[in-house]
Amino acid sequence: MDSSQSKKSRKPRRNRSPNAFSYKRYIRKLQKGINDKISISTQAVEIIDALVKEMFEQIASESKKLMTEQGKRTFLVEEARCATKSILRGKLADGAIDFGNGTLRKYNTEIKKYA
């Protein structure tokens, strides 16, 4: 088989916009990890995906605002914590920050294993 035949058999690539990132795959994996016997509808996954994207955008814009107010050019964990506390209030913010801290600790211990 020559190269012209192999090129024809390939599937064409889809052109995606730079903002086409989706959390749908991760939402499904998380749901399967919690309870493998229960499924989630495509519409519910799309709603959760939109919610996660919106929260990410809000936290990112709030972090940027905090950085410009303080004259900083480097994004640090403290900016993420403050932005999370200002957007999510009360126990929800505390839980999100605790979960983020635990994830960072786990990541840092994994990095140290291979360093």
Side-chain angles (χ1 to χ4, degrees), residues 25-112:
R25 179 184 342 165
Y26 307 107
I27 294 166
R28 290 220 183 258
K29 283 184 180 182
L30 181 64
Q31 183 270 323
K32 290 293 179 188
I34 293 171
N35 191 341
D36 202 19
K37 296 177 184 175
I38 298 174
S39 63
I40 186 169
S41 70
T42 303
Q43 187 177 13
V45 171
E46 288 176 4
I47 291 169
I48 294 169
D49 182 54
L51 177 69
V52 171
K53 287 179 184 177
E54 179 67 26
M55 291 302 301
F56 182 82
E57 289 295 323
Q58 286 181 8
I59 291 172
S61 64
E62 184 68 24
S63 298
K64 182 179 177 184
K65 187 169 72 171
L66 289 170
M67 288 171 56
T68 55
E69 286 174 359
Q70 297 172 358
K72 292 184 178 181
R73 296 180 65 189
T74 306
F75 180 75
L76 300 173
V77 176
E78 194 57 39
E79 282 80 24
R81 285 185 189 137
C82 291
T84 303
K85 279 189 175 184
S86 68
I87 292 172
L88 304 173
R89 304 276 182 193
K91 290 183 180 181
L92 187 59
D94 294 337
I97 290 169
D98 289 343
F99 186 79
N101 288 337
T103 304
L104 281 175
R105 262 188 253 106
K106 183 177 177 182
Y107 174 77
N108 286 333
T109 57
E110 289 295 320
I111 291 296
K112 288 179 183 178

Side-chain angles (χ1 to χ4, degrees), residues 17-29:
S17 67
N19 297 329
F21 185 79
S22 174
Y23 294 99
K24 293 176 186 177
R25 179 184 342 165
Y26 307 107
I27 294 166
R28 290 220 183 258
K29 283 184 180 182

